[in-house]
Amino acid sequence: MSEATERVERNQLVINQFRANGGVLGGGGLPMLLLTTTGARTGRRLTSPMAYATDGDRLIVFAANGGRPQNPNWLHNLRATPEAHVEVGTDSFDVKAVITEGAERDRLWAAQLRTAPFFADFQARAGRVIPVVALTRV
């Protein structure tokens, strides 16, 4: 089985657990959400579990992709279609994504590193600047 196939299967298990338990995942750690994007090539709806932070009323997600050198597919999808859907706990709503830049991106990234210092390892392994995406409820 390929790494990509294993990742898809693992993500589906997390999605199933998230939905079955009212948005709560075992093991504690960072808060998680489900982000559903529209595939840039396929037009299919694709759901990805991910850690998030908050910044006022915005949800902030990080395209760390586990420290891989390429951006995650969901980021490519958001660039093509910034309208998406989020599930947080038992709440579910539409969002608009904005890829942050400059000082705002740096501020949000620094805040994430204070909360989850292991994200610095992702940055070091990735060899790229990890995009930070702000999700605003619409």
Side-chain angles (χ1 to χ4, degrees), residues 125-136:
R125 286 196 317 262
R128 61 185 168 85
V129 174
I130 292 176
V132 176
V133 181
L135 305 171
T136 304

Side-chain angles (χ1 to χ4, degrees), residues 42-133:
T42 66
R44 291 185 309 140
R45 302 289 283 165
L46 304 162
T47 301
S48 303
M50 63 191 69
Y52 74 95
T54 58
D55 182 59
D57 61 351
R58 302 183 306 170
L59 302 175
I60 308 300
V61 293
F62 307 88
N65 203 16
R68 291 175 189 83
Q70 69 279 357
N71 287 320
N73 292 337
W74 60 261
L75 182 67
H76 177 69
N77 294 341
L78 286 177
R79 283 187 170 131
T81 307
E83 294 76 22
H85 190 79
V86 167
E87 296 170 59
V88 178
T90 58
D91 202 7
S92 178
F93 50 91
D94 292 330
V95 294
K96 177 151 187 179
V98 173
I99 299 167
T100 63
E101 297 180 348
E104 180 184 31
R105 183 255 173 227
D106 294 345
R107 177 183 65 81
L108 296 168
W109 180 254
Q112 180 67 357
L113 290 180
R114 287 190 297 276
T115 302
F118 63 88
F119 269 63
D121 294 336
F122 292 158
Q123 179 69 69
R125 286 196 317 262
R128 61 185 168 85
V129 174
I130 292 176
V132 176
V133 181

